[in-house]
Amino acid sequence: MASDRSGTTASVSAQTRNRYDRLSRTMHWLFASAILYTLVAGYALHIIDDSHLWHIVSITNMSIATVLLVLFPVRCVWAAIRTSPAEIAGVSRAQGALAKCTHKMLYYLTGLVLVSGFLMVPHGYLLFGLWYIETPFDDEVITQHWFDIHRYACYALAGSVALHMAAVVKHQWISKTNVVQRMT
């Protein structure tokens, strides 16, 4: 019986070393789903003709982004102080360095998209249709400047997310490194 317990404990301990902690995994999937939604919704706003639907999608988009904006500093601080899981066996140093660079780029671009998205909104908005959130600029020149930054940052973020997802597919199903287990 003792060997079963020690075997189980060793197995759980090894699994823990190969996975991100619960807060990191929760934040990853919360941000991943919200970023995918807001990217799709943001682009959809350019083709939605129905003003009522446009308003609903826009308010939902801004509201979700506002929640992310509040959580983003927590995620960044936690990423800086947490213990990362062990390196993936079979992944070269160059690929590991590229992965770290891509993750940093995802963080920087996410921050830029969130901040520029907030700053580009003139006249404020209703958070989930309930609470008024005032934004700092009403001047069209200033908000247009932030809109332009937001647009290009969204393009770059969408490309980085696609790159990240392609790397996951490659490592999970082609190289068979079981990388998905680290975030589940």
Side-chain angles (χ1 to χ4, degrees), residues 29-42 68 158 161-162 165:
W29 291 111
L30 175 69
F31 271 75
S33 57
I35 287 169
L36 288 175
Y37 169 80
T38 56
L39 283 171
V40 170
L68 293 186
V161 166
M165 292 170 69

Side-chain angles (χ1 to χ4, degrees), residues 87 93-109 160-161 163-164:
E87 297 294 324
R93 273 195 139 134
Q95 284 182 349
L98 182 60
K100 284 184 171 120
C101 180
T102 302
H103 285 112
K104 284 182 182 181
M105 186 170 43
L106 281 167
Y107 273 79
Y108 292 136
L109 289 170
S160 296
V161 166
L163 181 64
H164 178 66

Side-chain angles (χ1 to χ4, degrees), residues 170-182:
K170 184 255 186 216
H171 286 288
Q172 182 69 28
W173 289 285
I174 296 171
S175 299
K176 307 235 187 265
T177 59
N178 201 18
V179 70
V180 172
Q181 170 249 335
R182 294 163 62 91

Side-chain angles (χ1 to χ4, degrees), residues 119-131:
L119 296 176
M120 73 179 212
V121 178
H123 317 297
Y125 58 96
L126 286 174
L127 183 70
F128 295 109
L130 301 172
W131 301 283

